[in-house]
Structure formats: C-alpha cells, structure tokens
Amino acid sequence: MSKQRVKWVVGNWKMHGRLAENASLLQSVAQGAGAVAEAIRVGVCVPTPYLAQVQSQLAGNPVAWGVQDISTYTHGAYTGEVAAEMAAEFGATLAIVGHSERRAYHAETSELVASKARRALDAGLTPIVCIGETLAEREAGTTEAVVGAQLDAVLSLLSVDEAARIVVAYEPVWAIGTGKSATAEQAQEVHAFLRARLAKKDASLAGVALLYGGSVKPDNALTLFGQPDIDGGLIGGASLKSEDFLAICAAAKAASEAR
Ligand code: PEP
C-alpha cells in the first residue's frame, strides 16, 4: 500500500504587506494554523525584507516560512539578488522558484528555474517549483507538452534523491489572480500527468508533493484538495486574509482526513 502523502498549504504574499499589516496577519496565522499545522504542512512565503519579522513572530510555531525567489549564485557581484543561504539564516525552509510572474516579467527560463531549485536544495531549503501553461497554450492543446518540459528541465538537473525533496506547484497562468480557478477535474488531470512523469524518472518520485495554485479560495479548496493527485495548494490573494487562509488550511485538513 502506498504511503499517504501529507497535504500542504503555502501562502505566496507576493509584493504585499508592511510591518504593521504583517504583524496582525502573522499573529492570526500563528494562532489559527498552529493547530492544523500538526496534521498538514502550512507555510508563508514573504517578501525578503520581512524574513526577520516572520522568524520572530513564528518562532516555535509549526508554520514554516520562506521566500518567493532566490539567486542561482551563493555570493558575489549580483546586485539585488538574495542567496538561498541568506534566507536560510533567517530560518526559512521554503523557496518558491519559477513562479509564472518571474518567468513572464523577468524572462526566467526553465533551465534557470532548475538551477534555482538546485541552489535551494544545496542550502537546505525546499524548492516549490512552479509550472503552468498560458491560456493560449491550453487552447492550443499543448498543456501537457508545456508543463512536461518545464518539469523535465528540473528533473534533468537533479539526482533522484534531490528530486525527492522538491515540491511542484501546478499553477495555470490563466488562473493566477484572475478569480478563475481551474476546475477540480482540469487540475486533477494535469496533476495525474505530472505524477506519472515524476514516476517515470524514478518510482520513488511518485510521492513528490504536487500543489495546485490559481485562485484557490475557501469555497473551492475542499473540492480541489479532495482530488487524488492534488496534495494541497499554493495560495496568492487569499493568503493575505487570515480568515480565508485559515479556512483553506481547514479544507486541507478535512481533505486529508477524508482520504
Ligand atoms: C500565485 O500567485 O501563486 C497564486 C496562486 O495566486 P492566486 O491564488 O491569487 O491566484
């Protein structure tokens, strides 16, 4: 019998927040998610200037924290970049890499994303590797080719042991921040494809956590997380409202108990 995979809920704050707002959001998340984080994995990926704040407010709490991007380098003349080791010094354990906003606005290639994933692993962080197709790609029937190639770029750079430590977030670009989530069936179909792709590299990789991201809200989270290959969510807009984020965490816990 296969081992039951744990559910994850990770917030991506993007470039939102200020010290005062963060303080109250983190306080609510620490109180509310602290209890569910025993049963599921909960995390928040914050803008890097707030790492010290999140480290201080979540100290001793099972909620994890991380960053939204990292450099492919460890040191040097790379103005504006942040090394994975720097984030780790502030207790970060997660690093989002390859978010579609970075691929689109910063021309990040799948090869660059793969090297960021490797760098995160080297620093002891769990990379959350984002992949996903645009609306035009979906309409052209190339979703599997696109996400397959994005995943393969990462898998080809990592050993099986390293690949076993990544998390993959399937985030259809057309569903991010649009309020238009993929249906549970659409998301499940892609997740099943990705799980098979991972297993093809090595059977042990069938257990890699596969999160769905794109307009997850309290009212669709349970249906999405109830799908057999969806191991939780990467949450943008709804992670900025503690009530919504906590309701999504509760849905992940309920989906995990229903399995
Ligand atoms: C994201 O940007 O990772 C995301 C999932 O955003 P949203 O939930 O707002 O669609």
Short mmCIF file of all heavy atoms in Angstrom, two decimals, residues 10-12 14 96 99-101 130 169 171-172 175-180 212-217 233-239, ligand 1:
data_model
loop_
_atom_site.label_atom_id
_atom_site.label_comp_id
_atom_site.label_asym_id
_atom_site.label_seq_id
_atom_site.Cartn_x
_atom_site.Cartn_y
_atom_site.Cartn_z
N VAL A 10 0.52 26.63 1.28
CA VAL A 10 1.59 27.64 1.36
C VAL A 10 1.08 28.95 0.79
O VAL A 10 0.55 28.99 -0.33
CB VAL A 10 2.85 27.17 0.59
CG1 VAL A 10 3.94 28.24 0.66
CG2 VAL A 10 3.37 25.85 1.14
N GLY A 11 1.23 30.01 1.56
CA GLY A 11 0.84 31.34 1.09
C GLY A 11 1.99 32.00 0.34
O GLY A 11 3.14 31.90 0.75
N ASN A 12 1.64 32.64 -0.77
CA ASN A 12 2.61 33.45 -1.52
C ASN A 12 2.12 34.89 -1.40
O ASN A 12 1.17 35.28 -2.07
CB ASN A 12 2.63 32.99 -2.99
CG ASN A 12 3.46 33.91 -3.87
OD1 ASN A 12 4.21 34.76 -3.36
ND2 ASN A 12 3.33 33.77 -5.18
N LYS A 14 3.49 37.51 -2.36
CA LYS A 14 3.97 38.37 -3.46
C LYS A 14 4.51 39.68 -2.86
O LYS A 14 5.04 39.67 -1.76
CB LYS A 14 2.85 38.62 -4.47
CG LYS A 14 2.19 37.32 -4.93
CD LYS A 14 1.39 37.48 -6.18
CE LYS A 14 0.66 36.19 -6.47
NZ LYS A 14 0.04 36.16 -7.77
N ILE A 96 10.03 29.53 -3.18
CA ILE A 96 9.31 29.40 -4.45
C ILE A 96 10.32 29.68 -5.56
O ILE A 96 11.10 30.63 -5.46
CB ILE A 96 8.14 30.41 -4.51
CG1 ILE A 96 7.10 30.11 -3.43
CG2 ILE A 96 7.50 30.43 -5.89
CD1 ILE A 96 5.99 31.15 -3.30
N HIS A 99 8.04 30.97 -10.38
CA HIS A 99 6.65 31.47 -10.44
C HIS A 99 6.41 32.09 -11.82
O HIS A 99 7.31 32.70 -12.39
CB HIS A 99 6.42 32.50 -9.33
CG HIS A 99 4.98 32.84 -9.16
ND1 HIS A 99 4.33 33.71 -10.00
CD2 HIS A 99 4.04 32.38 -8.29
CE1 HIS A 99 3.05 33.79 -9.64
NE2 HIS A 99 2.85 32.99 -8.61
N SER A 100 5.20 31.97 -12.33
CA SER A 100 4.94 32.46 -13.69
C SER A 100 5.18 33.96 -13.81
O SER A 100 5.50 34.45 -14.89
CB SER A 100 3.52 32.11 -14.13
OG SER A 100 2.60 32.74 -13.30
N GLU A 101 5.02 34.70 -12.68
CA GLU A 101 5.31 36.14 -12.77
C GLU A 101 6.80 36.37 -12.98
O GLU A 101 7.19 37.32 -13.66
CB GLU A 101 4.78 36.84 -11.50
CG GLU A 101 3.26 36.88 -11.52
CD GLU A 101 2.58 36.94 -10.16
OE1 GLU A 101 3.26 37.18 -9.15
OE2 GLU A 101 1.34 36.74 -10.14
N CYS A 130 7.32 26.12 -9.51
CA CYS A 130 6.04 26.44 -10.16
C CYS A 130 6.12 26.18 -11.66
O CYS A 130 7.10 26.59 -12.32
CB CYS A 130 5.69 27.91 -9.94
SG CYS A 130 5.48 28.34 -8.22
N ALA A 169 4.43 22.96 -7.85
CA ALA A 169 3.12 23.65 -7.83
C ALA A 169 2.66 23.83 -9.27
O ALA A 169 3.32 24.54 -10.05
CB ALA A 169 3.24 24.99 -7.13
N GLU A 171 0.45 25.66 -11.55
CA GLU A 171 -0.29 26.92 -11.50
C GLU A 171 -0.60 27.37 -12.92
O GLU A 171 0.25 28.03 -13.55
CB GLU A 171 0.54 27.99 -10.80
CG GLU A 171 0.91 27.67 -9.38
CD GLU A 171 1.13 28.94 -8.55
OE1 GLU A 171 1.96 29.77 -8.94
OE2 GLU A 171 0.43 29.10 -7.56
N PRO A 172 -1.78 27.02 -13.43
CA PRO A 172 -2.12 27.50 -14.77
C PRO A 172 -2.10 29.04 -14.77
O PRO A 172 -2.72 29.67 -13.90
CB PRO A 172 -3.52 26.95 -15.03
CG PRO A 172 -4.02 26.41 -13.73
CD PRO A 172 -2.87 26.24 -12.81
N ALA A 175 -5.18 31.11 -14.43
CA ALA A 175 -5.97 31.02 -13.19
C ALA A 175 -5.38 31.86 -12.07
O ALA A 175 -5.98 31.99 -11.02
CB ALA A 175 -6.06 29.56 -12.76
N ILE A 176 -4.18 32.42 -12.30
CA ILE A 176 -3.49 33.13 -11.21
C ILE A 176 -4.01 34.56 -11.09
O ILE A 176 -3.93 35.34 -12.05
CB ILE A 176 -1.97 33.13 -11.44
CG1 ILE A 176 -1.45 31.70 -11.35
CG2 ILE A 176 -1.27 34.01 -10.43
CD1 ILE A 176 0.03 31.58 -11.54
N GLY A 177 -4.57 34.85 -9.93
CA GLY A 177 -5.02 36.22 -9.65
C GLY A 177 -6.20 36.65 -10.49
O GLY A 177 -6.55 37.84 -10.50
N THR A 178 -6.84 35.72 -11.17
CA THR A 178 -7.94 36.09 -12.06
C THR A 178 -9.30 35.80 -11.45
O THR A 178 -10.33 36.20 -11.98
CB THR A 178 -7.86 35.27 -13.38
OG1 THR A 178 -7.90 33.88 -13.03
CG2 THR A 178 -6.58 35.57 -14.13
N GLY A 179 -9.31 35.04 -10.35
CA GLY A 179 -10.58 34.62 -9.76
C GLY A 179 -11.16 33.42 -10.52
O GLY A 179 -12.23 32.91 -10.17
N LYS A 180 -10.47 32.98 -11.58
CA LYS A 180 -10.99 31.88 -12.41
C LYS A 180 -10.11 30.65 -12.18
O LYS A 180 -9.12 30.46 -12.87
CB LYS A 180 -10.92 32.33 -13.88
CG LYS A 180 -11.52 31.37 -14.87
CD LYS A 180 -11.47 32.02 -16.27
CE LYS A 180 -12.12 31.18 -17.33
NZ LYS A 180 -11.38 29.99 -17.70
N TYR A 212 -1.66 22.59 -6.15
CA TYR A 212 -2.36 23.36 -7.18
C TYR A 212 -2.37 24.83 -6.74
O TYR A 212 -2.59 25.13 -5.55
CB TYR A 212 -3.83 22.87 -7.35
CG TYR A 212 -4.60 23.86 -8.19
CD1 TYR A 212 -4.42 23.89 -9.58
CD2 TYR A 212 -5.40 24.84 -7.59
CE1 TYR A 212 -5.05 24.85 -10.35
CE2 TYR A 212 -6.03 25.80 -8.36
CZ TYR A 212 -5.85 25.80 -9.74
OH TYR A 212 -6.45 26.78 -10.50
N GLY A 213 -2.16 25.73 -7.69
CA GLY A 213 -2.26 27.16 -7.38
C GLY A 213 -2.98 27.87 -8.50
O GLY A 213 -2.79 27.55 -9.69
N GLY A 214 -3.81 28.84 -8.13
CA GLY A 214 -4.56 29.63 -9.12
C GLY A 214 -5.97 29.83 -8.63
O GLY A 214 -6.83 28.98 -8.79
N SER A 215 -6.17 30.99 -7.94
CA SER A 215 -7.49 31.37 -7.45
C SER A 215 -8.11 30.33 -6.52
O SER A 215 -9.32 30.08 -6.58
CB SER A 215 -8.42 31.70 -8.63
OG SER A 215 -7.91 32.81 -9.35
N VAL A 216 -7.28 29.74 -5.66
CA VAL A 216 -7.84 28.88 -4.61
C VAL A 216 -8.47 29.79 -3.56
O VAL A 216 -7.87 30.78 -3.13
CB VAL A 216 -6.77 27.99 -3.94
CG1 VAL A 216 -7.39 27.15 -2.82
CG2 VAL A 216 -6.11 27.08 -4.98
N LYS A 217 -9.69 29.45 -3.17
CA LYS A 217 -10.45 30.24 -2.19
C LYS A 217 -11.09 29.26 -1.21
O LYS A 217 -11.16 28.06 -1.49
CB LYS A 217 -11.57 31.02 -2.91
CG LYS A 217 -11.09 31.94 -4.03
CD LYS A 217 -10.59 33.28 -3.49
CE LYS A 217 -10.14 34.22 -4.58
NZ LYS A 217 -8.76 34.31 -4.88
N GLY A 233 -2.30 23.34 -1.75
CA GLY A 233 -2.31 24.50 -2.62
C GLY A 233 -1.24 25.53 -2.32
O GLY A 233 -0.73 25.64 -1.20
N LEU A 234 -0.89 26.26 -3.37
CA LEU A 234 -0.08 27.48 -3.25
C LEU A 234 -1.07 28.62 -3.43
O LEU A 234 -1.77 28.69 -4.45
CB LEU A 234 1.02 27.49 -4.33
CG LEU A 234 1.98 28.69 -4.31
CD1 LEU A 234 2.71 28.81 -2.96
CD2 LEU A 234 3.03 28.55 -5.42
N ILE A 235 -1.14 29.49 -2.43
CA ILE A 235 -2.25 30.43 -2.33
C ILE A 235 -1.73 31.86 -2.43
O ILE A 235 -0.93 32.28 -1.59
CB ILE A 235 -2.98 30.27 -0.96
CG1 ILE A 235 -3.16 28.78 -0.57
CG2 ILE A 235 -4.30 31.04 -0.96
CD1 ILE A 235 -3.99 27.96 -1.52
N GLY A 236 -2.20 32.60 -3.41
CA GLY A 236 -1.78 34.00 -3.56
C GLY A 236 -2.72 34.93 -2.79
O GLY A 236 -2.62 35.08 -1.58
N GLY A 237 -3.66 35.53 -3.51
CA GLY A 237 -4.54 36.55 -2.91
C GLY A 237 -5.17 36.14 -1.59
O GLY A 237 -5.19 36.93 -0.62
N ALA A 238 -5.66 34.92 -1.51
CA ALA A 238 -6.37 34.51 -0.29
C ALA A 238 -5.42 34.30 0.90
O ALA A 238 -5.88 34.17 2.03
CB ALA A 238 -7.16 33.22 -0.56
N SER A 239 -4.10 34.32 0.66
CA SER A 239 -3.19 34.16 1.81
C SER A 239 -3.00 35.48 2.55
O SER A 239 -2.39 35.52 3.61
CB SER A 239 -1.82 33.62 1.35
OG SER A 239 -1.09 34.59 0.62
C1 PEP B 1 0.09 32.56 -7.02
O1 PEP B 1 0.43 33.63 -7.50
O2 PEP B 1 0.94 31.71 -6.71
C2 PEP B 1 -1.35 32.31 -6.86
C3 PEP B 1 -1.74 31.08 -6.73
O3 PEP B 1 -2.17 33.42 -6.85
P1 PEP B 1 -3.75 33.47 -6.62
O4 PEP B 1 -4.11 32.48 -5.54
O5 PEP B 1 -4.05 34.87 -6.22
O6 PEP B 1 -4.39 33.10 -7.93
#
